[in-house]
Amino acid sequence: MTWNLLAADSDETDDRLSAARFDEADIDRRTFLSLSAATGAALAVPGTAAADVTGEPMTDEYAFVVNHTPEAYEAATLIEFADQDGLTAFADAYEDETEDEDLERAPKAVTRDSPSPAAHAHLTADEVEDVLEFDGIERMDFSPGANPWWKLEAPYEEGVFPPVEEAREYLAYEETTQALEYLETTASDRISVETVGQSPGWENRFTGEESDPRDIYVAEVTNDVHDESSFAAKEKVVYSLNIHGDERAGTEAGCRLLEEIAFGEAEAFEPLLDDVVLLFLFTNPDGWVSRKPQTHIPWVEEHDTNFQRGNASQFNEQPVDTNRQYPTIGWTDPNFRPAEPDGAPEEFHDLVPDSLAIVDHFRGYDNVEFLCDYHGMYTADHMVFNLETNAPFDHDGTHDLDEVNIRIGEGMHDFWGDIGAIADDIETASQEMYDESFVPDGDSYEGLFDWGTIYDSLSYQITGGFLCWAGQPEAFGGLGAITVAPEVILSNHSEDAQKEWKPYWTRHYEEAYRISMREYAEMAAQTTTATIATGDQDTAYVTTDALTRSSADLPHTDTGSGTDPSGDGHGSGARRSHDVVQPGPGGSTRITAEATDASQSIFIHLEGVGNATEGVVRLLNPAGKVVREIDLEAKADPNDSTVRKHDYEDICIRHPETGQWDVEIESDAEISASLTTVDAENGIPDPEEVLGYEQREYLVNPMQFFADLEPYLEDGDMDGLRVHDVRIGRLLRGNSGQRHYDKLVVSHDDGIDDPQYVEAIEAFVEAGGDLVLTDAGVNLLGALEVGNAASIAADDVRNVEMQFANLEDRAFDHPLLAGIRPRQQEIWKGSQLGYTTDVDQPATTVDPDAFADAGGSVAGTFAEYEDGSEEPTGTGVGAGILSADGAEIAVVGSVLPPAQQTELHPFGMADYAVSFMGHTLLCNALGFEQCRYAEGELTRTYGEIR
């Protein structure tokens, strides 16, 4: 599609308003004419004009932009000239011929001679008045984007998406959608473009439309793209490019890569396209187009022409974060509106139509191998983090995730060597954005790249994440993909860091994400496997129904066995209350929530904390005690690595004390706060009453981990035994004293009061069998009279709760930590098992002194909390090994907990939620060696057989 270049003679109004002139405009011809008729041929627009610049060549949209933006705003201006003389005169005044070797900014203006004389410039209102004095100007139009000529005839003679070094600005939405259609036409055997739904849409200040929704685009890229059977059979790799509209790195990299693939210029991708489909998803158009002055942002008093994080919706008077609205298993934060197409309440179609459409569309793809959700962050100790998703992976998937991370790190290291190669540009950008000099100082891949869970990297956890949904098994509505969120530094902004085009820095994060995209595609095309070598050892694990959790247990399901005050087995008596406060700069205020005896939880969501440079947020309980505190000054300091840098904070309080809870806010910036109280008379909220969704059925047990691991064994057997089986001697071969198994795993304390059961385990260890105790199974240490465990008493073992299952004070030379890196601390990811961000994750620890006195070697500790404490009150042994003559007893105090059903979880539960660290910790505890293969060749091993 191209723009009509009909001359706009001042006397030829009919020509100027011809239908062709509205082909790509934000206002259609009929709307324009009707509005013009109603206002005496002058288009009335909302908003207060800051300037009054007029001129016949100015399109109405361009006039609106110039006159309704701050004085210093530079409008992206397309200028068409009647002849070369007019262009030359303009170029003499505005075009800078000097080379900007440092790529600090795009040039003020660029020009072209053919096929028609034109210029593109960034002009203030005063400069527009000056340019209007030039002779020979036919049209001045608003033309944001990277390619200066995309609105003209023959816009792509020098390429579709200009290289970063030549781009005028960030890629614009309209520019990109037009380019996608062009690429589809040009490379129709390789690219297919679809629209899969629409965003909610901002109010358009120019046209007056209350909602101006935008299409969500997916570009499908592969050889013979229209061959349906071939397409369906191929492995799929999804690149989600801009789920947060203010994090532009994915779009800048993805679009340029897409063009190169279309024209066969992406050498690394050419051999992959017979086997792999690449899906480029433009996830959040609202957050993208929000930068345009035409959009009205309800929560921005004066439009600042910045991108927005989420879409145009507000829920509970707060902006909607598009990466919290997906139907993920486990705990669901009621502050969000999870977009499950099956039975979504009507309000969800208004608030999150984009998420609903994406879920519905992507469920139609087979064989989604990887899904990469590209983000940007503030500052960090490495240039790029890869975040492991909150989704359960089997052994193979766990290793594919780790392997692709290693390959990305190696790719970045091969390209740059170390962070020093780009340190000057990083320091310059951080100084401009945050008024602080900053360079990553991490040691993984020389400061370039590191990876771990979301908490490992960013110190928080989420529910409703896009990649978390996509990583879920297909049986639970997900895609069964291996999902990762890359995050690159200095690709996000705050109030004091207006989003400005910085080609000197953009070229680096664009390159980093190109490397990332290449490695995912190459991994998907390879045959990779992972196995476990046991040394021909046999393993038993003790199963029990005590660990099983089922939707049938819930009082609000048809088969619910819980207590229901109404007596009919249905309904939780759940209700939700909300409030919002927005303190102004320098202000102080508080927002309250009233907890009753029926209150299950209070959830607090804060938006805008990243804009503050000083102040504090405190949460006070009914006794007036501060139980949570956020130091906003520390949060704003890019050199303070101890605080979280993101723009929001979530606080969860489970089982709140009865009375008034207060959130007290002192800030030099506007912060929006929302409190949600969930009441449940019978102790478990009903998702139909809270969210409008029926409870999804599930039946889960963490011992499924071992059943899922068994197919990957190279040798040896792995069997599940009941407590009864152990009790009657199945661990040994009759009365011979010989072991039937070499390893035994116990992850619960079911049967601990049965002397015969305990004696059978003791006999197994005395016969030389290795024992692995995890979770509540660690309580057996207090009952066993075997080896060094005999000196540990029952009161040396503690059942505790933590906020996050992080292993701290780690001894990396310990055999339990073989193959685990410093970044990795989180053993399992709580939300998918129904755990919140409050202190509710269970662990069983051992007193450190008692463990040391028993001769134990400690791999790491867990922080222990007392009821209601904000900070840890002590530590206990979280992982370690005790000797037992010729055998060993390995202890892992939290890795396979049962699901927690007391919180809202409409979309079911996972059996287990081990991270790569947790997975490796378990394999090490068993004394197994993990082996990784690519195309049949052994590439890596973890741990040793013992």
Side-chain angles (χ1 to χ4, degrees):
M1 293 180 291
T2 57
W3 278 75
N4 185 285
L5 297 179
L6 187 63
D9 187 284
S10 59
D11 295 325
E12 296 178 1
T13 305
D14 290 341
D15 285 346
R16 185 164 58 84
L17 300 180
S18 67
R21 301 294 274 161
F22 291 85
D23 285 348
E24 294 296 329
D26 282 341
I27 180 173
D28 60 55
R29 181 171 182 269
R30 178 174 297 178
T31 302
F32 178 90
L33 292 175
S34 63
L35 288 171
S36 296
T39 58
L43 182 61
V45 293
T48 304
D52 185 20
V53 181
T54 60
E56 186 58 34
M58 300 171 67
T59 66
D60 293 289
E61 181 183 39
Y62 180 66
F64 175 86
V65 169
V66 170
N67 291 311
H68 291 78
T69 46
E71 182 180 359
Y73 178 79
E74 294 186 327
T77 306
L78 175 66
I79 310 172
E80 293 180 77
F81 297 91
D83 51 43
Q84 188 66 37
D85 290 343
L87 176 61
T88 301
F90 172 83
D92 288 344
Y94 284 94
E95 191 170 23
D96 186 356
E97 297 293 343
T98 20
E99 289 263 342
D100 180 9
E101 294 181 358
D102 294 330
L103 298 173
E104 292 181 359
R105 297 288 181 273
K108 180 72 172 177
V110 293
T111 61
R112 78 171 193 179
D113 298 323
S114 64
S116 61
H120 189 276
H122 295 129
L123 302 176
T124 65
D126 287 344
E127 289 168 334
V128 172
E129 283 193 296
D130 178 58
V131 170
L132 285 168
E133 298 297 321
F134 286 84
D135 293 329
I137 295 179
E138 293 192 328
R139 182 166 71 111
M140 297 179 72
D141 197 3
F142 183 55
S143 185
N147 185 333
W149 319 124
W150 71 271
K151 281 192 171 185
L152 294 179
E153 179 186 359
Y156 304 130
E157 289 186 336
E158 297 183 6
V160 179
F161 298 111
V164 168
E165 294 82 356
E166 300 172 15
R168 302 292 292 142
E169 244 276 9
Y170 291 102
L171 293 165
Y173 171 82
E174 295 85 355
E175 166 194 20
T176 302
T177 58
Q178 176 180 301
L180 291 175
E181 293 171 12
Y182 170 79
L183 291 173
E184 180 183 35
T185 301
T186 307
S188 59
D189 61 337
R190 182 169 280 194
I191 296 179
S192 176
V193 177
E194 293 188 55
T195 57
V196 301
Q198 288 190 320
S199 65
W202 305 101
E203 177 186 345
N204 190 315
R205 298 196 306 154
F206 170 55
T207 65
E209 295 170 276
E210 290 187 5
S211 174
D212 186 10
R214 305 302 175 111
D215 288 333
I216 300 162
Y217 281 79
V218 176
E220 302 170 338
V221 184
T222 189
N223 285 342
D224 302 317
V225 69
H226 298 293
D227 184 331
E228 292 184 9
S229 61
S230 170
F231 185 98
K234 291 179 181 181
E235 300 289 346
K236 313 294 188 305
V237 178
V238 182
Y239 304 128
S240 171
L241 301 182
N242 56 298
I243 194 166
H244 286 148
D246 57 351
E247 300 169 15
R248 304 309 311 160
T251 301
E252 297 298 325
C255 287
R256 291 174 170 89
L257 176 59
L258 179 59
E259 177 183 354
E260 291 178 14
I261 295 173
F263 297 133
E265 296 170 357
E267 183 178 348
F269 288 81
E270 282 301 297
L272 310 179
L273 299 180
D274 285 335
D275 302 306
V276 175
V277 177
L278 307 175
L279 302 168
F280 294 82
L281 169 63
F282 297 87
T283 320
N284 178 13
D286 278 356
W288 192 351
V289 302
S290 61
R291 186 172 175 85
K292 296 177 65 175
Q294 298 92 314
T295 57
H296 172 60
I297 315 298
W299 49 88
V300 179
E301 187 174 348
E302 294 182 7
H303 197 295
D304 60 5
T305 65
N306 252 337
F307 301 106
Q308 293 293 311
R309 179 180 177 87
N311 67 17
S313 294
Q314 286 182 284
F315 173 65
N316 194 32
E317 298 183 49
Q318 281 196 321
V320 166
D321 185 333
T322 45
N323 198 32
R324 301 293 184 273
Q325 315 302 328
Y326 286 82
T328 51
I329 54 178
W331 170 51
T332 294
D333 188 332
N335 278 315
F336 306 121
R337 318 314 287 156
E340 168 52 63
D342 184 11
E346 190 59 38
E347 67 162 352
F348 287 53
H349 292 273
D350 295 329
L351 289 167
V352 289
D354 38 6
S355 302
L356 284 165
I358 288 168
V359 169
D360 192 49
H361 178 79
F362 275 85
R363 282 176 177 167
Y365 290 116
D366 297 319
N367 306 320
V368 180
E369 179 72 10
F370 288 103
L371 186 144
C372 319
D373 187 21
Y374 287 92
H375 287 257
M377 57 181 170
Y378 297 91
T379 59
D381 57 12
H382 288 80
M383 178 182 174
V384 174
F385 284 150
N386 264 13
L387 312 184
E388 177 184 337
T389 182
N390 294 341
F393 299 131
D394 62 16
H395 181 70
D396 221 4
T398 298
H399 276 270
D400 277 348
L401 174 59
D402 190 61
E403 184 66 23
V404 78
N405 283 324
I406 291 171
R407 295 187 187 191
I408 291 168
E410 291 174 347
M412 292 179 66
H413 189 266
D414 289 346
F415 188 84
W416 281 296
D418 60 42
I419 200 69
I422 53 177
D424 288 347
D425 288 341
I426 292 173
E427 196 165 15
T428 300
S430 64
Q431 187 70 46
E432 287 188 351
M433 293 176 70
Y434 306 121
D435 198 26
E436 296 280 353
S437 294
F438 150 81
V439 176
D441 58 2
D443 56 8
S444 178
Y445 293 103
E446 309 294 339
L448 293 168
F449 181 77
D450 206 354
W451 69 99
T453 67
I454 298 171
Y455 190 88
D456 287 338
S457 302
L458 301 182
S459 301
Y460 65 85
Q461 273 291 8
I462 67 170
T463 76
F466 175 48
L467 74 161
C468 306
W469 161 75
Q472 293 172 187
E474 293 182 63
F476 280 87
L479 304 180
I482 300 162
T483 53
V484 184
E487 298 260 5
V488 64
I489 58 169
L490 305 181
S491 184
N492 212 327
H493 70 276
S494 65
E495 189 172 69
D496 292 330
Q498 181 78 9
K499 198 76 169 173
E500 294 179 350
W501 178 243
K502 297 176 174 59
Y504 68 90
W505 168 237
T506 304
R507 58 180 172 169
H508 299 313
Y509 68 58
E510 190 248 8
E511 185 63 46
Y513 276 3
R514 279 171 171 265
I515 292 169
S516 171
M517 292 172 184
R518 179 192 73 206
E519 295 300 335
Y520 287 117
E522 289 183 345
M523 272 284 290
Q526 275 196 328
T527 300
T528 59
T529 56
T531 63
I532 295 173
T534 73
D536 210 26
Q537 299 178 93
D538 296 327
T539 302
Y541 57 95
V542 184
T543 64
T544 175
D545 289 341
L547 296 175
T548 299
R549 303 291 184 265
S550 168
S551 55
D553 302 332
L554 304 173
H556 46 269
T557 60
D558 289 339
T559 54
S561 58
T563 304
D564 174 27
S566 67
D568 63 3
H570 295 277
S572 68
R575 62 180 176 81
R576 194 172 62 238
S577 62
H578 299 278
D579 204 354
V580 173
V581 64
Q582 294 181 313
S588 175
T589 190
R590 65 174 53 196
I591 178 174
T592 65
E594 191 72 26
T596 69
D597 290 340
S599 295
Q600 174 70 11
S601 305
I602 297 175
F603 301 96
I604 300 142
H605 185 69
L606 304 167
E607 284 278 357
V609 291
N611 294 335
T613 59
E614 58 184 54
V616 66
V617 177
R618 301 183 185 91
L619 174 63
L620 290 76
N621 67 13
K625 179 184 177 182
V626 176
V627 295
R628 296 283 193 281
E629 186 168 286
I630 303 167
D631 184 340
L632 299 178
E633 184 174 358
K635 192 176 180 70
D637 182 358
N639 296 310
D640 188 340
S641 60
T642 65
V643 293
R644 302 181 287 194
K645 299 300 182 186
H646 46 85
D647 190 43
Y648 56 90
E649 290 282 352
D650 292 314
I651 300 172
C652 171
I653 302 296
R654 299 176 65 247
H655 310 304
E657 301 169 51
T658 301
Q660 180 174 298
W661 288 74
D662 296 310
V663 177
E664 188 176 84
I665 302 171
E666 297 174 9
S667 171
D668 62 346
E670 187 172 273
I671 292 177
S672 176
S674 176
L675 273 64
T676 301
T677 304
V678 175
D679 292 348
E681 295 288 348
N682 52 25
I684 300 178
D686 181 350
E688 192 161 11
E689 294 191 17
V690 179
L691 294 172
Y693 287 112
E694 283 190 28
Q695 179 69 56
R696 181 179 286 160
E697 294 182 359
Y698 62 90
L699 179 69
V700 295
N701 187 305
M703 295 300 95
Q704 185 64 32
F705 173 86
F706 299 104
D708 291 345
L709 194 64
E710 191 273 336
Y712 297 97
L713 301 184
E714 291 183 2
D715 48 24
D717 294 325
M718 184 169 281
D719 299 330
L721 302 179
R722 299 169 300 169
V723 170
H724 174 72
D725 296 328
V726 173
R727 183 179 185 276
I728 63 174
R730 288 277 304 277
L731 295 175
L732 302 178
R733 297 183 184 277
N735 296 320
S736 66
Q738 301 296 308
R739 300 188 315 275
H740 190 80
Y741 295 95
D742 303 288
K743 310 280 183 178
L744 174 66
V745 185
V746 183
S747 299
H748 54 83
D749 56 8
D750 195 18
I752 195 172
D753 295 326
D754 183 340
Q756 280 187 267
Y757 170 70
V758 175
E759 289 168 6
I761 294 175
E762 290 173 340
F764 169 79
V765 176
E766 288 170 347
D770 291 332
L771 176 63
V772 178
L773 301 177
T774 83
D775 302 276
V778 176
N779 284 296
L780 278 167
L781 284 181
L784 292 173
E785 296 293 333
V786 62
N788 290 350
S791 68
I792 295 179
D795 59 5
D796 293 327
V797 184
R798 302 187 284 260
N799 294 309
V800 301
E801 291 184 335
M802 305 175 290
Q803 187 172 23
F804 295 98
N806 293 332
L807 192 66
E808 301 174 350
D809 304 319
R810 291 158 296 162
F812 286 101
D813 58 350
H814 196 284
L816 290 183
L817 300 186
I820 291 170
R821 299 173 304 102
R823 172 74 53 194
Q824 297 168 321
Q825 293 188 80
E826 192 174 24
I827 297 175
W828 54 278
K829 299 160 288 188
S831 57
Q832 66 204 79
L833 294 181
Y835 295 90
T836 70
T837 54
D838 196 9
V839 178
D840 63 349
Q841 297 191 7
T844 304
T845 64
V846 185
D847 180 82
D849 292 336
F851 201 82
D853 291 344
S857 63
V858 179
T861 63
F862 286 143
E864 300 174 344
Y865 292 74
E866 292 181 356
D867 287 345
S869 62
E870 180 185 1
E871 299 295 333
T873 54
T875 60
V877 175
I881 293 178
L882 293 164
S883 295
D885 298 325
E888 68 178 29
I889 301 174
V891 172
V892 182
S894 187
V895 63
L896 292 172
Q900 175 174 259
Q901 295 178 286
T902 56
E903 300 300 324
L904 195 66
H905 59 282
F907 307 113
M909 289 281 192
D911 288 293
Y912 52 88
V914 293
S915 63
F916 177 84
M917 177 185 174
H919 186 97
T920 297
L921 191 59
L922 276 170
C923 289
N924 290 342
L926 287 163
F928 293 164
E929 181 183 57
Q930 300 179 78
C931 305
R932 196 175 296 175
Y933 298 85
E935 303 296 351
E937 296 291 325
L938 181 66
T939 59
R940 236 173 287 280
T941 63
Y942 289 78
E944 295 180 348
I945 296 172
R946 66 178 195 280

